Structures are given as C-alpha cells and as structure tokens.
Amino acid sequence: MFEQMLSFLGAMGAQTGLAQFWWGNVVMIAIGIGMILLAIIKKYEPLLLVGIGFSCIISNVPGSDLVLPGGLFHYAYEGVQLLILPPLIFFGVGAMTDFGPMIANPKLVILGAAAHLGIFVALIGAKLLGFTIYEAGAIGIIGGADGPMAIFMTMKLAPHLLPQISVAAYSYMALMPLIQPPVMKLLTTKEERMIRMKQMRVVSRVERIAFPIIIGIIVNLLLPPVAPLITMLMLGNLFKEVLVTDRLAKTAANEVMNVVIVVLTIAIGSTMGADKFLTGSTLEIIGLGLVAFMVGTGSGVLGAKLMNLFLTEKINPLLGSAGIASVPIAARVAHMVALEDDRENYLIYHAMGPNLAGVFGTALSGGIMLALLQ
Amino acid sequence: MFSGIPSGDAPQEVSLEKDTVAFSIMLSVIDFFLSMVMISGIGVVLSLLPYLNRLGKLDEESMRRGH
C-alpha cells in the first residue's frame, strides 16, 4: 500500500515541472528578479524591465505551458515574430515626439549618421568572433541604441538572438548616463563643452505637417525594408501635428503604446529560456553591445568636431553624442554633461535634433544592411 | 571575396561570399557611406521646408476647434 502510494506520488511528481528543474532555471529566475529590482530600486527602464523580468521568471518555471504553442506568451511572441509590435511602438513614439528641433537645424542631422560607427564596429567584431553575417548584422544594430529597430532587425536577420539583443539594447539604453559621459569628456576640452548654441528658429505648422508626409514618401521609396517602422513613426507624428486628430494622437501615445509595451515585454521575456540564454555567445553579445555604444558616442562627438572645422558658427561637440538615438536619453545626457561646466548652457532642445536624426540614422543603416544582405 | 567562375557561353556571374570578415568590412563601409549620403539628403529636404511657408499660414486656433 505504502509502495503504491510512493509510486503514485512519484508518477505525479514526474508530470510537474519539478522533475525538469535545473540550475539554469534558477539562474534565469534570479536574473528576472534582478531586472524587477533594478526597475524598482534604480528606476532603470521600469516600463520594460518589470514585464521582461516577470515573463523571464515564468518562462523558466518548468511545466509552464504559457510559452508553448497555444500559450498566451507564445501569442505575444507571434506579435514580434510577425513584426507587428515594433512598428506599433514607433507609432506611439511618433505621436509623442516633437520633430521641431530636427526641422529647425537641418545641418545637425548628419550627426545622426556619424554616431552610428558603433554599429559597424560591433558588426565586424561579431564576425571576427565567429557569428554568421546575419547574426553580426543583428548584433551591430544594438549600437543604434533604438529598441524597436534592434528587435525589428533581429527578427529579420537572426530571430534566435532576440532575447540577448533586446536585453543588451534596452539595458545599455538605461545605462547611457553611465556609459556616455566618460567618452564625451575624454574627446572634448572644457572650452568645447562650454560652447553655447544660438537659439533656434520657430518651426511653422505647415512645416510640421509636411515633414511626416515627405519623410513617409522618401523612406517608402528608398528604403522599403524598414519602411513599416518609419511609416508608423510618421503616421503617429502626423496625428499629433495636424491638431485635428488629437484624440488619435493621445490614444497612440498612451493606450496603444502601453498595450504594445505590455505585449512586447512579455514576448521578450518569454524567449529568455535558460537553454537559449545561458550561453557564451550571450556574454559576447553583451560585450559587443557595450563597445558599440561607446564607439557610437565617440564617433558622434568626433563627427561634431569635424563639422566645426568647416563651420563659422561652431557647434557644441557634445551634441554629436546625442546622434546615437535612444530618444530622449542621449539628448538628456548631452545636456547634463554641458551643465557640469556651465550651469546656464541649456543644450537639451538643440540635442534633440541629432537625437531624433539618430532614429533615422539607425533606420537607414538597418535598411541598407537588409538590402545588402537579402 | 569574389568567387565567381565563368562557365561556357553563360553570362559571366560573380557570386559574393557573404559570410566572411571581408564582406562584413565591405558591408560596413558601404552602409556607413550610404547612411551619410541619405541622411544628408534628408537634411537637404529639411532645409527646403521653410519655403513651404510661402504657400500660406495655418490658423492653429481654428484647427484645434475643428473636431
């Protein structure tokens, strides 16, 4: 009787997740808890890390069928796999973004490309480490410091690397206030950091409305591979700027954005299974991501200094670091670093120009890469 | 890098070995250069936007009331 009970309990136990539990699950659950704690205590990207962390924890509990086909998390991942969610994020971002600083000072848009040298350093580095060219391309885009674009490119080039690349991209974006300033200070003098920018012109409503329409046409004409992202960015911005659809703009910027963030974070976390995440390549990708961010910051600053050789009215080279994208974190970092040397040097509005151009710079790099690789 | 072998009367084809470090360097150079050119193009377009103001001015107050 006792033996029968033991055998019955044993059979029951074998059907639960306990039988498949291994140390990798423990590590990943600890990582998930760490993400939630970082969000709560350090306020690092809480909108993203709480969802990713929780989904990571649940996905590493053996026996949970949420991530299996038919499970809720699986359907969230389908939204990423079908490339529906990243463009919807851009839709919300567009409805929140004021492109005025970029329109007002067109010469600074070049910094949006200059600050993307990190993409290519990471790409070549990844290839040297033995990744395939497609994996290297996806890893390189971490240097674009643009989460939805990194996810979009990864799903196109190397979907199996989604957890590593998305975690690296969003983590470094949250850590930009720590990563960028040393590089910025190393490459500039105090006098350069104290350069004050001239006040920008006012951008009219006609220009603000024309901008998303014109860019939508150009991107679809020249860069179809990344057109879904930029098109939705421009649609969201058009809703904002025409003033007659503010209900839709607010919905895009709030309700749509929030729902998409919930689904996106669940999807990313659900891919962080121990067997896929706990590999040597994860460390390599995280290392390459850091290099990409640092090189991108440096190349942006050097790009601005190069521009100063030809400009009569000098620009503050700190603006170059904002060209790395990661709106508006990079612009805020440039502003804060400038304030350290001159308490009245307000760079934030000026830095938003290259910062927004950085979004286009990443999209252009990604689109060209897809066109060359496919 | 280029490993195409022409055969017979067939048109000469040049196939490109993509999964190499050399290709990754070439890809990076082309991509960086084209990104620069294209974003400069966007800059040129942006610098032309003020000319649209010659077409007229929009009354923002009436636009805000219009829905």
Side-chain angles (χ1 to χ4, degrees), chain A residues 110 133 204 207 246 365 373, chain B residues 18-19 31 40 53 63 67:
Chain A
I110 194 85
I133 190 72
S204 73
E207 292 173 75
D246 58 342
S365 298
L373 283 176
Chain B
K18 286 183 176 175
D19 211 0
D31 197 334
S40 303
N53 294 322
M63 287 169 77
H67 66 101

Side-chain angles (χ1 to χ4, degrees), chain A residues 236-323:
Chain A
N237 189 247
L238 186 63
F239 280 159
K240 174 183 180 289
E241 298 297 355
V242 289
L243 300 180
V244 292
T245 53
D246 58 342
R247 263 174 52 194
L248 299 182
K250 282 176 187 162
T251 303
N254 297 299
E255 288 83 358
V256 171
M257 188 73 161
N258 290 341
V259 170
V260 173
I261 286 173
V262 171
V263 182
L264 184 71
T265 55
I266 287 175
I268 292 171
S270 72
T271 60
M272 293 174 68
D275 53 333
K276 293 177 204 152
F277 201 83
L278 295 178
T279 62
S281 63
T282 299
L283 288 178
E284 290 172 344
I285 290 169
I286 287 171
L288 287 166
L290 180 62
V291 171
F293 267 62
M294 293 174 75
V295 173
T297 302
S299 67
V301 172
L302 293 176
K305 290 177 75 155
L306 187 66
M307 281 175 72
N308 275 343
L309 296 177
F310 305 98
L311 294 172
T312 46
E313 193 178 305
K314 307 295 178 199
I315 58 170
N316 190 314
L318 295 177
L319 296 179
S321 67

Side-chain angles (χ1 to χ4, degrees), chain A residues 167-234:
Chain A
V167 167
Y170 281 112
S171 304
Y172 288 136
M173 279 158 63
L175 293 172
M176 280 178 93
L178 300 177
I179 297 171
Q180 286 195 299
V183 181
M184 294 156 79
K185 288 176 186 171
L186 185 72
L187 297 174
T188 53
T189 62
K190 188 174 179 180
E191 287 69 35
E192 285 173 326
R193 293 196 292 274
M194 288 175 73
I195 294 175
R196 290 193 181 185
M197 300 291 293
K198 202 177 81 179
Q199 192 169 359
M200 283 189 217
R201 71 177 178 89
V202 176
V203 177
S204 73
R205 184 62 47 191
V206 175
E207 292 173 75
R208 288 172 182 275
I209 294 172
F211 171 74
I213 298 171
I214 293 171
I215 296 293
I217 294 170
I218 291 175
V219 169
N220 277 277
L221 204 59
L222 299 180
L223 283 170
V226 289
L229 289 170
I230 300 297
T231 302
M232 292 308 286
L233 181 77
M234 292 297 101

Side-chain angles (χ1 to χ4, degrees), chain A residues 2 50 55 60 62 111 132 184 210 219 228 257 263 268 274 293 333 349 357:
Chain A
F2 184 68
V50 172
S55 176
N60 280 283
L111 297 173
T132 68
M184 294 156 79
V219 169
M257 188 73 161
V263 182
I268 292 171
F293 267 62
V333 173
Y349 196 68

Side-chain angles (χ1 to χ4, degrees), chain A residues 20-32 56-57 59-62 272-279:
Chain A
Q20 289 109 46
F21 215 83
W22 65 294
W23 65 266
N25 297 125
V26 180
V27 172
M28 291 310 294
I29 288 171
I31 289 175
C56 169
I57 293 169
S59 303
N60 280 283
V61 176
M272 293 174 68
D275 53 333
K276 293 177 204 152
F277 201 83
L278 295 178
T279 62

Side-chain angles (χ1 to χ4, degrees), chain A residues 32-44:
Chain A
I33 293 171
M35 285 180 172
I36 295 173
L37 290 177
L38 273 178
I40 297 170
I41 298 167
K42 294 280 184 184
K43 305 278 186 294
Y44 286 162

